[in-house]
Amino acid sequence: MSYYVVRYTQNETSVMAGLGRNRGTWDTAHTRRTAQRHARTLRLEDPKSTYKVETL
């Protein structure tokens, strides 16, 4: 099963691509633990947005 880091803001929803080993690519799928780790890092960098790990 693939997991994705999804960014929620007041006006939009987007799936985050190019995180970690996939940097510089459009690849979005991760294992559950890796997606959780990336979401945690993004939450610390951007507290105004909400980052969740979801399956799509």
Side-chain angles (χ1 to χ4, degrees), residues 1-8 13-16 28-30 52-56:
M1 184 174 273
S2 296
Y3 294 86
Y4 304 90
V5 179
V6 181
R7 176 183 172 204
Y8 294 96
T13 301
S14 58
V15 176
M16 303 302 293
T28 58
H30 301 283
K52 294 183 180 180
V53 174
E54 298 183 357
T55 59
L56 301 178

Side-chain angles (χ1 to χ4, degrees), residues 23-54:
R23 186 169 302 265
T25 68
W26 287 101
D27 192 14
T28 58
H30 301 283
T31 63
R32 181 177 171 208
R33 178 65 188 120
T34 302
Q36 289 172 337
R37 187 170 37 89
H38 290 312
R40 180 178 184 275
T41 303
L42 290 168
R43 283 186 208 111
L44 294 173
E45 292 175 0
D46 181 17
K48 292 182 180 180
S49 299
T50 302
Y51 293 92
K52 294 183 180 180
V53 174
E54 298 183 357

